[in-house]
Amino acid sequence: MEIFLILIFFLGISMWIGTELLKIYKESFVKSHHAAVGRTRTLGIILACILLLHPFAPQPRIVGIFGMVSTIMGIPLLGIGVYLWVRLIYVEWPEINKALEGYKQTQSSFLITTGLYAKVRNPIYTACFFTILGWYFIWRAVHGLLFIPVILAVIVIGTLIEEKYLTKKFGDEHMKYKQNVPMLFSPSLLTVVIVILAIVVISIISGWMQL
C-alpha cells in the first residue's frame, strides 16, 4: 500500500510539473488547449494529495515519550498549514478575484505581490509543506517523516519551473520580486523547518525511533 501511494503521488507531481513545463516551452499549445491543461494540472494536484493517506499505511511509529513529543510538535505545524490555507481561501483569493475582474476587460494580467505573497512568493506550497509535515508528526509516521526531504525537493523543483514561466511572462518585475521576497519560507518559518528536520535526524541517529 505504501509503495502504491508514493507512486500515485509521483504520478500527480509529474502531471503538475508537466503542465508547468508546457507553459514555458509550448505556450501556444496551452492557449489552444487551456481547459484540458487546467484539468490535467488540477487532477495532478489532487493525486499528489493522496500522500495524506501515507501515515495510515503500515510502517514503524515513533514510540514512548518521543511519540508524545511528535504529536505535540505536529499540532502547531499542522496549525501553521491550516492557518495559511484559511488565509489563502478566505482572504487572499477573494481579493485577488476582485482585482482580476478589473483586468478582464483589458485582457491583461498582473503579478500578485500583496498579502501572504509579500511574505513568501509561493504561500500555497508553503501551506502544503507544513500541512503534510504536521500531519506526519501527529501520526508518528516514521517512513512519512523520512520522506519529507523528498517532498520538499519536489516542491522546490516544481516551484523553480513555475517561476521560470513567471519570469518569462513578467520579466524584470518578477526578477525584482524574487530578489525581495523568499521562495517558500520567511526567515522565521525557515528556522522552524531547519529545527524540525534536525530533530528528526538526531532522533533517528540516537535510536529514539523504532525503525
Side-chain angles (χ1 to χ4, degrees), residues 25 32 65 68 77-78 92 99 150 158 174:
Y25 300 107
S32 60
I65 188 171
M68 295 176 60
L77 290 171
L78 181 61
E92 305 290 338
V150 177
H174 187 254

Side-chain angles (χ1 to χ4, degrees), residues 3-20:
I3 295 176
F4 172 75
L5 292 175
I6 291 174
L7 288 175
I8 294 297
F9 166 75
F10 278 113
L11 173 61
I13 290 298
S14 298
M15 294 169 69
W16 163 50
I17 291 179
T19 57
E20 296 300 329

Side-chain angles (χ1 to χ4, degrees), residues 2 41 51 83 94 101 196:
E2 196 171 0
R41 183 178 187 273
L51 211 60
Y83 165 76
E101 289 298 325
I196 293 300

Side-chain angles (χ1 to χ4, degrees), residues 8 12 14 18 29 45 50 66 87 93 119 127 130 135 146 202:
I8 294 297
S14 298
F29 175 86
I45 293 172
I50 200 171
F66 296 105
R87 175 78 181 268
W93 292 345
K119 306 295 183 183
F130 277 100
W135 188 247
L146 292 174
I202 293 172

Side-chain angles (χ1 to χ4, degrees), residues 15-31 33 36-38 40 161 165 168:
M15 294 169 69
W16 163 50
I17 291 179
T19 57
E20 296 300 329
L21 288 172
L22 281 175
K23 288 195 293 185
I24 297 173
Y25 300 107
K26 297 290 183 179
E27 191 170 359
S28 59
F29 175 86
V30 173
K31 288 181 179 179
H33 298 81
V37 172
T40 301
I161 293 172
Y165 166 74
K168 177 183 176 182

Side-chain angles (χ1 to χ4, degrees), residues 99-153:
L100 282 172
E101 289 298 325
Y103 280 81
K104 284 182 178 179
Q105 296 179 353
T106 59
Q107 298 295 310
S108 60
S109 57
F110 64 99
L111 187 66
I112 304 167
T113 59
T114 57
L116 287 178
Y117 292 88
K119 306 295 183 183
V120 292
R121 301 196 301 270
N122 301 276
I124 295 175
Y125 304 138
T126 305
C128 287
F129 178 75
F130 277 100
T131 300
I132 293 173
L133 183 63
W135 188 247
Y136 281 158
F137 265 109
I138 287 174
W139 289 101
R140 311 176 184 186
V142 172
H143 290 173
L145 290 171
L146 292 174
F147 198 63
I148 286 295
V150 177
I151 296 172
L152 182 57

